[in-house]
Amino acid sequence: MTTSASLNAAAYEALKARIVRGDLRPGAPLSERALCDELAVSRTPLREALKRLANEGLVEISETRRARVARVSVDEVVNLLAVMAVLEGLSGEQACEKASDADLNELTRLQDEMEAAYARTDHAAYFALNQQIHLSILRMADNGPLAEYFHNLNARLRHVRERLTPTPERWRQAVDEHAEMLALMRRRDGKRLRTLMEAHLRSKTDAYVAAMLNEGLVSMSRAA
């Protein structure tokens, strides 16, 4: 039996996926009638989904109840990345304290697979494994509020992260930094891992901003 809660959740997940993938670009209007038809839901679950996505910063709803995909300025992107870096660092530090030997073995396997993807220049596989490593560390941190904040911010940036094409030098550096992260995890050196993970993301700020400007995903200032 389909409940209203499950309909709300289904509409939310489907619409969020389209925004995160970049199918719906920043500033794009969200027509209730069209979305109801596309998602095969009524207006009530759709509106609940829009409210939830607005709370997460992915959707903007005007005073006249018109919705659109949230737009973001360069300054906001820089601030988002600064917060993400802190969350990444904290997740690493706490994971160091809580990770089991099995967790560390799993990270080693993922690191090996990621390096293999790098060796064959498979950007899509590399990105997927990179994300899996970071999410695995987040899981090991076992911090509910941290995970919630991380996932909300990550959703606002994921469609850009997938489009980033690093220079050969930056890509090699990223692989080496991941290897160092694993070594620090095995040594249970949470303080140094926190510092490294923060720096790992902060170093990508310029590349993120450039890619988002190039894709038309951000503006130099917040539009009204």
Side-chain angles (χ1 to χ4, degrees):
M1 180 179 179
T2 303
T3 66
S4 59
S6 62
L7 285 173
N8 293 350
Y12 162 80
E13 294 293 347
L15 187 52
K16 182 175 182 176
R18 294 186 181 194
I19 294 173
V20 170
R21 286 197 306 264
D23 297 343
L24 297 169
R25 297 173 66 82
L30 299 171
S31 165
E32 286 191 1
R33 177 177 297 178
L35 287 171
C36 284
D37 290 341
E38 291 172 18
L39 303 178
V41 296
S42 65
R43 287 182 183 269
T44 297
L46 178 65
R47 286 175 176 172
E48 289 301 315
L50 290 171
K51 288 178 184 177
R52 187 173 171 186
L53 291 167
N55 289 336
E56 295 176 5
L58 292 173
V59 166
E60 297 170 349
I61 301 177
S62 70
E63 293 181 358
T64 58
R65 298 181 66 180
R66 292 183 179 277
R68 66 186 178 190
V69 179
R71 294 176 293 185
V72 65
S73 70
V74 169
D75 286 345
E76 287 170 318
V77 170
V78 172
N79 289 336
L80 283 171
L81 288 168
V83 175
M84 280 286 288
V86 173
L87 297 179
E88 288 263 23
L90 180 58
S91 72
E93 183 175 21
Q94 294 192 341
C96 268
E97 301 169 1
K98 302 172 184 178
S100 66
D101 289 343
D103 288 329
L104 295 177
N105 290 337
E106 174 65 8
L107 284 179
T108 300
R109 181 187 67 79
L110 291 172
Q111 176 70 19
D112 290 344
E113 291 185 9
M114 189 180 74
E115 290 189 7
Y118 165 77
R120 63 177 185 269
T121 324
D122 187 340
H123 187 267
Y126 174 88
F127 175 81
L129 289 160
N130 183 299
Q131 283 283 285
Q132 196 172 347
I133 288 171
H134 284 275
L135 292 177
S136 294
I137 292 173
L138 181 66
R139 173 186 58 77
M140 294 170 201
D142 192 25
N143 182 327
L146 170 62
E148 180 181 357
Y149 296 140
F150 179 92
H151 286 303
N152 286 346
L153 294 183
N154 192 48
R156 299 174 69 177
L157 296 169
R158 182 180 173 88
H159 61 297
V160 181
R161 299 175 86 163
E162 291 182 347
R163 289 173 168 79
L164 284 180
T165 303
T167 63
E169 296 78 13
R170 182 67 192 100
W171 199 358
R172 180 67 257 176
Q173 180 185 350
V175 173
D176 291 342
E177 286 173 354
H178 267 270
E180 187 177 354
M181 287 178 201
L182 179 58
L184 291 172
M185 283 280 289
R186 287 197 171 280
R187 294 204 299 268
R188 307 287 180 174
D189 192 340
K191 296 298 183 184
R192 289 184 62 187
L193 179 58
R194 181 172 187 165
T195 299
L196 175 60
M197 291 187 71
E198 287 192 22
H200 181 71
L201 184 53
R202 289 183 192 278
S203 67
K204 300 176 183 177
T205 297
D206 288 346
Y208 272 110
V209 171
M212 294 182 87
L213 283 169
N214 185 57
E215 292 276 344
L217 299 174
V218 293
S219 58
M220 293 304 296
S221 61
R222 185 78 174 188

